Amino acid sequence: MANSKFEYVKSFERQSVLLPNTYIVVRIDGRGFHKLSTKYGFTKPNDLHALELMNAAATATLREIPDISCAYGISDEFSFIFHRSSKLFERRERGYVQSSKILTTVVSTFTSYYVHLWSTFFPEKPLSSPMPSFDGRVVEYPSPQNLRDYMSWRQVDCHINNLYNTTFWALVQQGGIDATQAEERLKGTLASDKHEILFSEFKINYNNETDIFKKGSIIYRDYDDPGSEPLRGTATNAGPNGDVFEVSKSQAEKERKRRLKASIIIQHIDIIKDDFWEGNPWLLCAKSDR
């Protein structure tokens, strides 16, 4: 940038940095999606096309940003996980990365794909102003257990919200009462009470509801070469506790290409128990080898 008398304005800039050796979570949320869902007539309590659109935009974001190891989504929310060995925006060289850069990159990439792919899932409902938009936040977690607890928290939230919404809309749509009366009916109820209302009054067994509604969507990279030689000392290699090893640029580039070639899987499964994480250990230790 050329020097000039106006360059002093740079002194007003402030950097909010992310610490090294931490998992980075970028969580995005739809802005004003209650109004948007009403405007475009989303099915209540869950619109499958809307959820599939969110998943498609998230999948495209993973393809665009190889440093994202996995993502978890519910409703109009998605969490994108960067391993603590990530060197996005020169984190390895500087030891930190500006939170604003990583946040704006994820939010803008996701939003652009959401708008771009809208007509694929809603061909009869063209977008009009105001356009869909998302905000976001960045949170750091120092250990694999902290990260797993975060993911568990979001899936528990998915279950709690979906059980409430399923019961609420059953009361409104099939029970003949309005929204205010449904809210009053559900005030103070436990999960078991909601299960009982659904089954006894509407013959709905909540356990048989579609998994994407109950469990959300986990999106991650899967590797087709489980027998390959581990990339020892690479940027995405780590010890059993996720500790990051030093890397060479050539090794880091080799691993980046492997990530770009990896298959991207979408599942609607339990991510609270150990099975998922033990079956996909590279999501925590960052080795792309089984």
Side-chain angles (χ1 to χ4, degrees), residues 24 39 53 61-62 71 79 83 119 122 138-139 161 166 174 178 199 224 234 254 263 270 280 289:
I24 300 171
K39 176 180 178 181
L53 171 57
T61 302
L62 259 73
S79 297
H83 193 270
S119 60
F122 295 103
V138 180
V139 186
N161 291 338
T166 301
Q174 302 177 50
D178 62 28
F199 190 74
D224 298 325
T234 63
K254 183 178 180 181
S263 302
D270 189 327
N280 304 282
D289 301 276

Side-chain angles (χ1 to χ4, degrees), residues 223-232 254 258 288-290:
Y223 296 86
D224 298 325
D225 54 348
S228 63
E229 181 70 15
L231 298 177
R232 295 181 178 85
K254 183 178 180 181
R258 293 187 73 201
S288 61
D289 301 276
R290 296 180 187 271

Side-chain angles (χ1 to χ4, degrees), residues 138-158:
V138 180
V139 186
E140 300 168 273
Y141 295 99
S143 74
Q145 188 59 54
N146 293 149
L147 179 63
R148 282 194 55 179
D149 288 345
Y150 168 81
M151 300 288 271
S152 297
W153 170 51
R154 300 319 306 138
Q155 188 162 64
V156 168
D157 227 34
C158 175

Side-chain angles (χ1 to χ4, degrees), residues 35-49:
K35 290 182 179 179
L36 183 138
S37 65
T38 301
K39 176 180 178 181
Y40 293 103
F42 283 10
T43 302
K44 302 294 185 180
N46 295 291
D47 191 297
L48 183 58
H49 292 304

Side-chain angles (χ1 to χ4, degrees), residues 1-13:
M1 184 179 294
N3 293 327
S4 74
K5 68 178 182 179
F6 304 111
E7 195 169 355
Y8 79 93
V9 298
K10 290 166 55 180
S11 65
F12 292 95
E13 296 179 7

Side-chain angles (χ1 to χ4, degrees), residues 27-100:
R27 185 167 81 244
I28 67 169
D29 292 279
R31 296 182 64 250
F33 262 56
H34 178 73
K35 290 182 179 179
L36 183 138
S37 65
T38 301
K39 176 180 178 181
Y40 293 103
F42 283 10
T43 302
K44 302 294 185 180
N46 295 291
D47 191 297
L48 183 58
H49 292 304
L51 293 175
E52 290 175 337
L53 171 57
M54 290 287 292
N55 287 347
T59 299
T61 302
L62 259 73
R63 294 195 186 282
E64 288 280 341
I65 309 174
D67 281 62
I68 298 174
S69 62
C70 63
Y72 177 72
I74 58 175
S75 186
D76 62 343
E77 167 194 311
F78 246 100
S79 297
F80 295 91
I81 315 302
F82 293 78
H83 193 270
R84 51 193 195 177
S85 63
S86 170
K87 64 182 185 66
L88 189 65
F89 298 124
E90 301 179 339
R91 186 185 192 187
R92 181 169 70 102
E93 286 77 10
R94 298 180 181 179
Y96 64 83
V97 64
Q98 295 181 39
S99 62
S100 58

